[in-house]
Amino acid sequence: MGAAEVEKVSALVPHLLTIPHKKIWVEYDEEADVLYVNFKRPSRADDSELTDDDIIIRREKGEVVGMTFLNVAKRFGTKNRA
């Protein structure tokens, strides 16, 4: 990881500290262009909601346990960040 990548990840830290979850797992599926963010492992969502801006909010017993962001690179213009 080069200096530019370290700087990008470091810029996320203030935002991550404001999230009310102590553990966060993130996975990006480049082929599907989907970003998965989980706050609980394993999460067994029993409800989900698709927002108008292509975000699936997953809940377990009313608590948000994860979010799925669809069309991430297309929406944020970050395709192939190497």
Side-chain angles (χ1 to χ4, degrees):
M1 182 180 285
E5 288 84 8
V6 170
E7 188 174 321
K8 288 177 184 177
V9 173
S10 295
L12 294 173
V13 172
H15 303 288
L16 294 172
L17 291 174
T18 65
I19 296 172
H21 299 279
K22 300 298 180 203
K23 293 187 179 185
I24 302 167
W25 294 267
V26 179
E27 183 177 349
Y28 177 60
D29 181 335
E30 187 172 12
E31 187 175 322
D33 193 22
V34 175
L35 180 73
Y36 302 94
V37 179
N38 294 293
F39 306 119
K40 182 178 178 185
R41 284 248 171 130
S43 64
R44 292 184 175 44
D46 53 29
D47 188 30
S48 63
E49 165 192 357
L50 176 62
T51 68
D52 292 337
D53 52 352
D54 288 339
I55 300 170
I56 301 170
I57 301 171
R58 297 185 316 281
R59 291 182 180 84
E60 180 180 332
K61 298 179 184 173
E63 175 187 355
V64 175
V65 293
M67 301 170 74
T68 303
F69 296 83
L70 308 175
N71 307 307
V72 176
K74 182 190 293 185
R75 290 176 49 208
F76 295 99
T78 57
K79 194 72 172 173
N80 219 349
R81 305 163 303 284

